[in-house]
Amino acid sequence: MNFLKSPWPWYVAGPLIGLSVPLLMLIGNKALGISSSLRHICAACLPGKIPFFQYDWKKESWNLWFVGGIALGALLVLLFLGNGEPVALNPSTIAALRANGVQEFDEILPGDIFNWGNAFNGVGLLFFVAGGFLVGFGTRYAGGCTSGHSIYGISTLQWPSLVATICFMAGGFAMTHLILPPLMRWLLL
Amino acid sequence: MKNLKFGIAGILFGIILVKAEVISWFRIQEMFRLESFHMYGVIGSAIFTAMLGVLLIRKMGWRSMSGEEIVVRKKPFTKGNVIGGLIFGLGWAITGACPGPIFAQIGSGFTVVFITLLSAIAGTWAYGKWKDRLPH
């Protein structure tokens, strides 16, 4: 029980995440990929007259069950499997984020950024609205995300997925080192 | 009810994502600052395990539960892998989430991430709308 409640080390969690690829193949001949769910939601709710959203999304509804399950699984951890401890970060990460204005380190996300009070100000505009838009636009343009390209794509030896993953990382490094620090200092300090 | 098994697989996947702390905004910052091996270990060992699993399925000639031959969907190379990839990377570092973790962050009680989700859906919609004008 103690093990279930503590965070799992990478060498336990990583292989378990990886097993989802053969698992989905065996239970339904499906390819792991989560960003497609965003496309199915568009096709179901706001297809417009856009060809990209005119397909039978119901045939892909397994994907929506899968992401619904992800949210439910996370809720189960919150209710029964958490230890309520802050994430054990490298102290230099904490120091750098503090210098940029982050003050709360006791949950999985900084509570001083990710709260409803920021939903309609500059902080929210950057972290939820702009950030979310880039995630949705970028993953669809790239044809997948960390699950579809980095895990499924690379493990099935598809070189375009390796290219996409390298670009995911390059974008992340650029944001973390060049763009985010001045923006955070401006918005949070 | 044929989709229930995917719901259960999703629950397991969600539990693992949270216990792995890969849904943590802080862990994503730490990864891009190269101050921890954690995320690289998770992603690397996930790819390695998935590769072994796929290899085993191929070697043994296993079929899916419904008896179908297991197919791997080929992902063609497009310029979007590069441009879209860079754009997603920028968003990943801001939100601390790829699409899977967005759902897990909401389930973990950060209900405001629902706005991130709506925005990600809007981004997907915008891509669909203007797809033909973008380089591919």
Side-chain angles (χ1 to χ4, degrees), chain A residues 59-99:
Chain A
K59 275 195 174 156
E60 305 293 331
S61 57
W62 74 273
N63 203 266
L64 299 173
W65 281 73
F66 190 70
V67 296
I70 290 177
L72 190 57
L75 179 66
L76 291 174
V77 176
L78 176 72
L79 295 177
F80 306 112
L81 291 175
N83 64 359
E85 305 255 329
V87 179
L89 297 167
N90 186 327
S92 36
T93 304
I94 296 181
L97 291 174
R98 266 194 204 285

Short mmCIF file of all heavy atoms in Angstrom, two decimals, chain A residues 59-99:
data_model
loop_
_atom_site.label_atom_id
_atom_site.label_comp_id
_atom_site.label_asym_id
_atom_site.label_seq_id
_atom_site.Cartn_x
_atom_site.Cartn_y
_atom_site.Cartn_z
N LYS A 59 -17.24 5.99 -35.02
CA LYS A 59 -16.40 4.81 -35.23
C LYS A 59 -15.11 4.92 -34.42
O LYS A 59 -14.43 3.93 -34.19
CB LYS A 59 -16.03 4.70 -36.72
CG LYS A 59 -17.08 3.99 -37.52
CD LYS A 59 -16.51 3.57 -38.88
CE LYS A 59 -17.50 2.72 -39.63
NZ LYS A 59 -17.27 2.76 -41.07
N GLU A 60 -14.74 6.14 -34.04
CA GLU A 60 -13.50 6.35 -33.28
C GLU A 60 -13.79 6.63 -31.81
O GLU A 60 -12.93 7.12 -31.08
CB GLU A 60 -12.72 7.54 -33.87
CG GLU A 60 -12.43 7.43 -35.35
CD GLU A 60 -11.48 6.30 -35.66
OE1 GLU A 60 -10.64 5.97 -34.81
OE2 GLU A 60 -11.57 5.74 -36.77
N SER A 61 -15.03 6.36 -31.39
CA SER A 61 -15.41 6.79 -30.04
C SER A 61 -14.67 6.04 -28.93
O SER A 61 -14.67 6.48 -27.79
CB SER A 61 -16.92 6.68 -29.84
OG SER A 61 -17.32 5.36 -30.09
N TRP A 62 -14.00 4.93 -29.29
CA TRP A 62 -13.17 4.26 -28.26
C TRP A 62 -12.19 5.24 -27.64
O TRP A 62 -11.91 5.19 -26.45
CB TRP A 62 -12.38 3.08 -28.89
CG TRP A 62 -11.23 3.52 -29.74
CD1 TRP A 62 -11.27 3.85 -31.06
CD2 TRP A 62 -9.87 3.74 -29.31
NE1 TRP A 62 -10.03 4.24 -31.49
CE2 TRP A 62 -9.15 4.20 -30.44
CE3 TRP A 62 -9.21 3.58 -28.10
CZ2 TRP A 62 -7.79 4.51 -30.38
CZ3 TRP A 62 -7.85 3.90 -28.03
CH2 TRP A 62 -7.16 4.35 -29.17
N ASN A 63 -11.70 6.17 -28.49
CA ASN A 63 -10.69 7.14 -28.07
C ASN A 63 -11.25 8.08 -27.00
O ASN A 63 -10.56 8.48 -26.06
CB ASN A 63 -10.27 7.92 -29.31
CG ASN A 63 -8.90 8.54 -29.19
OD1 ASN A 63 -8.82 9.70 -28.80
ND2 ASN A 63 -7.86 7.82 -29.48
N LEU A 64 -12.55 8.42 -27.12
CA LEU A 64 -13.18 9.28 -26.13
C LEU A 64 -13.39 8.53 -24.82
O LEU A 64 -13.28 9.10 -23.73
CB LEU A 64 -14.50 9.83 -26.68
CG LEU A 64 -14.33 10.66 -27.96
CD1 LEU A 64 -15.69 11.04 -28.56
CD2 LEU A 64 -13.52 11.93 -27.67
N TRP A 65 -13.71 7.24 -24.91
CA TRP A 65 -13.80 6.42 -23.70
C TRP A 65 -12.44 6.36 -23.01
O TRP A 65 -12.33 6.41 -21.80
CB TRP A 65 -14.26 5.00 -24.06
CG TRP A 65 -15.73 4.92 -24.29
CD1 TRP A 65 -16.41 5.40 -25.38
CD2 TRP A 65 -16.71 4.35 -23.42
NE1 TRP A 65 -17.75 5.15 -25.22
CE2 TRP A 65 -17.95 4.51 -24.04
CE3 TRP A 65 -16.63 3.72 -22.18
CZ2 TRP A 65 -19.13 4.05 -23.45
CZ3 TRP A 65 -17.81 3.25 -21.60
CH2 TRP A 65 -19.04 3.43 -22.23
N PHE A 66 -11.39 6.25 -23.82
CA PHE A 66 -10.03 6.16 -23.27
C PHE A 66 -9.68 7.44 -22.49
O PHE A 66 -9.21 7.37 -21.36
CB PHE A 66 -9.04 5.89 -24.41
CG PHE A 66 -7.65 5.55 -23.96
CD1 PHE A 66 -7.37 4.34 -23.34
CD2 PHE A 66 -6.60 6.45 -24.17
CE1 PHE A 66 -6.08 4.02 -22.92
CE2 PHE A 66 -5.30 6.13 -23.76
CZ PHE A 66 -5.05 4.92 -23.13
N VAL A 67 -9.95 8.62 -23.09
CA VAL A 67 -9.57 9.85 -22.39
C VAL A 67 -10.49 10.11 -21.19
O VAL A 67 -10.06 10.66 -20.17
CB VAL A 67 -9.51 11.10 -23.31
CG1 VAL A 67 -8.41 10.94 -24.34
CG2 VAL A 67 -10.84 11.42 -23.94
N GLY A 68 -11.76 9.69 -21.30
CA GLY A 68 -12.65 9.78 -20.14
C GLY A 68 -12.09 8.93 -19.00
O GLY A 68 -12.08 9.35 -17.83
N GLY A 69 -11.57 7.76 -19.36
CA GLY A 69 -10.94 6.87 -18.38
C GLY A 69 -9.72 7.53 -17.75
O GLY A 69 -9.51 7.41 -16.54
N ILE A 70 -8.93 8.25 -18.55
CA ILE A 70 -7.74 8.93 -18.01
C ILE A 70 -8.15 9.90 -16.89
O ILE A 70 -7.56 9.92 -15.81
CB ILE A 70 -6.98 9.67 -19.12
CG1 ILE A 70 -6.32 8.66 -20.07
CG2 ILE A 70 -5.92 10.60 -18.53
CD1 ILE A 70 -5.60 9.29 -21.25
N ALA A 71 -9.18 10.71 -17.16
CA ALA A 71 -9.64 11.67 -16.15
C ALA A 71 -10.14 10.94 -14.89
O ALA A 71 -9.83 11.33 -13.76
CB ALA A 71 -10.74 12.56 -16.72
N LEU A 72 -10.87 9.85 -15.10
CA LEU A 72 -11.40 9.09 -13.98
C LEU A 72 -10.27 8.43 -13.18
O LEU A 72 -10.28 8.43 -11.94
CB LEU A 72 -12.38 8.03 -14.51
CG LEU A 72 -13.23 7.28 -13.49
CD1 LEU A 72 -14.04 8.25 -12.64
CD2 LEU A 72 -14.17 6.31 -14.20
N GLY A 73 -9.29 7.90 -13.89
CA GLY A 73 -8.13 7.29 -13.23
C GLY A 73 -7.41 8.29 -12.35
O GLY A 73 -7.01 7.99 -11.22
N ALA A 74 -7.26 9.53 -12.88
CA ALA A 74 -6.59 10.58 -12.12
C ALA A 74 -7.40 10.91 -10.87
O ALA A 74 -6.84 11.12 -9.78
CB ALA A 74 -6.39 11.82 -12.99
N LEU A 75 -8.72 10.94 -11.02
CA LEU A 75 -9.59 11.22 -9.87
C LEU A 75 -9.44 10.13 -8.81
O LEU A 75 -9.38 10.42 -7.61
CB LEU A 75 -11.05 11.32 -10.34
CG LEU A 75 -12.09 11.59 -9.25
CD1 LEU A 75 -11.89 12.98 -8.65
CD2 LEU A 75 -13.51 11.49 -9.83
N LEU A 76 -9.32 8.87 -9.25
CA LEU A 76 -9.14 7.77 -8.29
C LEU A 76 -7.84 7.94 -7.51
O LEU A 76 -7.80 7.67 -6.31
CB LEU A 76 -9.14 6.41 -9.03
CG LEU A 76 -10.49 6.00 -9.62
CD1 LEU A 76 -10.35 4.72 -10.45
CD2 LEU A 76 -11.53 5.80 -8.52
N VAL A 77 -6.78 8.41 -8.19
CA VAL A 77 -5.52 8.64 -7.48
C VAL A 77 -5.71 9.76 -6.45
O VAL A 77 -5.27 9.65 -5.30
CB VAL A 77 -4.38 9.01 -8.45
CG1 VAL A 77 -3.11 9.35 -7.68
CG2 VAL A 77 -4.12 7.86 -9.41
N LEU A 78 -6.42 10.81 -6.88
CA LEU A 78 -6.66 11.94 -5.97
C LEU A 78 -7.39 11.46 -4.71
O LEU A 78 -7.06 11.86 -3.59
CB LEU A 78 -7.48 13.01 -6.70
CG LEU A 78 -7.89 14.23 -5.88
CD1 LEU A 78 -6.69 15.12 -5.61
CD2 LEU A 78 -8.98 15.03 -6.60
N LEU A 79 -8.38 10.59 -4.90
CA LEU A 79 -9.21 10.16 -3.78
C LEU A 79 -8.55 9.09 -2.91
O LEU A 79 -8.67 9.10 -1.70
CB LEU A 79 -10.56 9.63 -4.30
CG LEU A 79 -11.46 10.65 -5.00
CD1 LEU A 79 -12.72 9.97 -5.52
CD2 LEU A 79 -11.82 11.79 -4.06
N PHE A 80 -7.85 8.14 -3.58
CA PHE A 80 -7.42 6.96 -2.82
C PHE A 80 -5.92 6.65 -2.86
O PHE A 80 -5.43 5.93 -2.01
CB PHE A 80 -8.14 5.71 -3.36
CG PHE A 80 -9.64 5.84 -3.36
CD1 PHE A 80 -10.34 5.90 -4.56
CD2 PHE A 80 -10.34 5.93 -2.17
CE1 PHE A 80 -11.72 6.03 -4.56
CE2 PHE A 80 -11.72 6.06 -2.16
CZ PHE A 80 -12.42 6.12 -3.37
N LEU A 81 -5.21 7.16 -3.86
CA LEU A 81 -3.84 6.66 -4.04
C LEU A 81 -2.76 7.73 -3.93
O LEU A 81 -1.64 7.52 -4.34
CB LEU A 81 -3.71 5.97 -5.42
CG LEU A 81 -4.44 4.64 -5.59
CD1 LEU A 81 -4.31 4.15 -7.02
CD2 LEU A 81 -3.91 3.59 -4.63
N GLY A 82 -3.13 8.87 -3.39
CA GLY A 82 -2.12 9.93 -3.28
C GLY A 82 -1.51 9.97 -1.90
O GLY A 82 -2.03 9.40 -0.96
N ASN A 83 -0.35 10.65 -1.79
CA ASN A 83 0.20 10.84 -0.44
C ASN A 83 0.22 12.33 -0.07
O ASN A 83 0.68 12.71 1.00
CB ASN A 83 1.59 10.23 -0.31
CG ASN A 83 2.62 10.89 -1.23
OD1 ASN A 83 2.27 11.80 -1.98
ND2 ASN A 83 3.85 10.45 -1.16
N GLY A 84 -0.29 13.18 -0.99
CA GLY A 84 -0.40 14.60 -0.69
C GLY A 84 0.92 15.34 -0.57
O GLY A 84 0.94 16.49 -0.15
N GLU A 85 2.01 14.67 -0.93
CA GLU A 85 3.32 15.32 -0.81
C GLU A 85 3.64 16.10 -2.08
O GLU A 85 3.21 15.72 -3.17
CB GLU A 85 4.41 14.25 -0.62
CG GLU A 85 4.16 13.32 0.54
CD GLU A 85 5.04 13.64 1.73
OE1 GLU A 85 6.17 14.10 1.49
OE2 GLU A 85 4.59 13.43 2.87
N PRO A 86 4.41 17.18 -1.96
CA PRO A 86 4.82 17.91 -3.17
C PRO A 86 5.73 17.04 -4.04
O PRO A 86 6.35 16.09 -3.54
CB PRO A 86 5.60 19.11 -2.64
CG PRO A 86 5.50 19.08 -1.17
CD PRO A 86 4.96 17.76 -0.74
N VAL A 87 5.82 17.37 -5.32
CA VAL A 87 6.70 16.65 -6.23
C VAL A 87 8.15 16.92 -5.82
O VAL A 87 8.52 18.06 -5.56
CB VAL A 87 6.47 17.12 -7.68
CG1 VAL A 87 7.38 16.41 -8.65
CG2 VAL A 87 5.00 16.91 -8.08
N ALA A 88 8.95 15.84 -5.73
CA ALA A 88 10.35 15.99 -5.30
C ALA A 88 11.19 16.51 -6.46
O ALA A 88 11.73 15.74 -7.25
CB ALA A 88 10.88 14.65 -4.80
N LEU A 89 11.27 17.82 -6.56
CA LEU A 89 11.96 18.44 -7.69
C LEU A 89 13.41 18.71 -7.37
O LEU A 89 13.80 18.80 -6.20
CB LEU A 89 11.30 19.77 -8.03
CG LEU A 89 9.84 19.74 -8.49
CD1 LEU A 89 9.26 21.14 -8.45
CD2 LEU A 89 9.77 19.17 -9.89
N ASN A 90 14.19 18.88 -8.42
CA ASN A 90 15.56 19.37 -8.25
C ASN A 90 15.49 20.78 -7.65
O ASN A 90 14.78 21.64 -8.17
CB ASN A 90 16.22 19.41 -9.63
CG ASN A 90 17.69 19.77 -9.54
OD1 ASN A 90 18.11 20.54 -8.68
ND2 ASN A 90 18.48 19.20 -10.45
N PRO A 91 16.22 21.03 -6.55
CA PRO A 91 16.15 22.36 -5.91
C PRO A 91 16.49 23.50 -6.87
O PRO A 91 15.95 24.61 -6.72
CB PRO A 91 17.20 22.27 -4.80
CG PRO A 91 17.35 20.82 -4.53
CD PRO A 91 17.07 20.10 -5.81
N SER A 92 17.32 23.24 -7.89
CA SER A 92 17.64 24.34 -8.80
C SER A 92 16.45 24.69 -9.69
O SER A 92 16.30 25.84 -10.10
CB SER A 92 18.90 24.06 -9.63
OG SER A 92 18.99 22.74 -9.97
N THR A 93 15.58 23.71 -9.97
CA THR A 93 14.35 24.01 -10.71
C THR A 93 13.45 24.91 -9.87
O THR A 93 12.92 25.92 -10.35
CB THR A 93 13.59 22.72 -11.07
OG1 THR A 93 14.45 21.85 -11.79
CG2 THR A 93 12.35 23.01 -11.90
N ILE A 94 13.33 24.55 -8.58
CA ILE A 94 12.49 25.35 -7.68
C ILE A 94 13.04 26.77 -7.58
O ILE A 94 12.29 27.74 -7.70
CB ILE A 94 12.43 24.70 -6.28
CG1 ILE A 94 11.75 23.32 -6.38
CG2 ILE A 94 11.70 25.59 -5.29
CD1 ILE A 94 11.60 22.57 -5.08
N ALA A 95 14.36 26.89 -7.42
CA ALA A 95 14.97 28.22 -7.29
C ALA A 95 14.71 29.05 -8.54
O ALA A 95 14.34 30.23 -8.45
CB ALA A 95 16.46 28.08 -7.03
N ALA A 96 14.88 28.43 -9.71
CA ALA A 96 14.70 29.17 -10.96
C ALA A 96 13.24 29.60 -11.12
O ALA A 96 12.96 30.73 -11.55
CB ALA A 96 15.12 28.31 -12.15
N LEU A 97 12.30 28.71 -10.78
CA LEU A 97 10.88 29.07 -10.93
C LEU A 97 10.49 30.14 -9.92
O LEU A 97 9.73 31.06 -10.23
CB LEU A 97 10.00 27.83 -10.77
CG LEU A 97 10.11 26.79 -11.90
CD1 LEU A 97 9.31 25.55 -11.57
CD2 LEU A 97 9.64 27.39 -13.23
N ARG A 98 11.04 30.05 -8.71
CA ARG A 98 10.79 31.09 -7.70
C ARG A 98 11.24 32.45 -8.20
O ARG A 98 10.55 33.46 -8.04
CB ARG A 98 11.53 30.78 -6.40
CG ARG A 98 10.69 30.02 -5.41
CD ARG A 98 11.35 30.03 -4.01
NE ARG A 98 10.87 28.88 -3.25
CZ ARG A 98 9.66 28.79 -2.72
NH1 ARG A 98 8.82 29.80 -2.82
NH2 ARG A 98 9.30 27.70 -2.07
N ALA A 99 12.42 32.47 -8.82
CA ALA A 99 12.95 33.73 -9.32
C ALA A 99 12.06 34.31 -10.40
O ALA A 99 12.05 35.52 -10.65
CB ALA A 99 14.36 33.52 -9.86
#
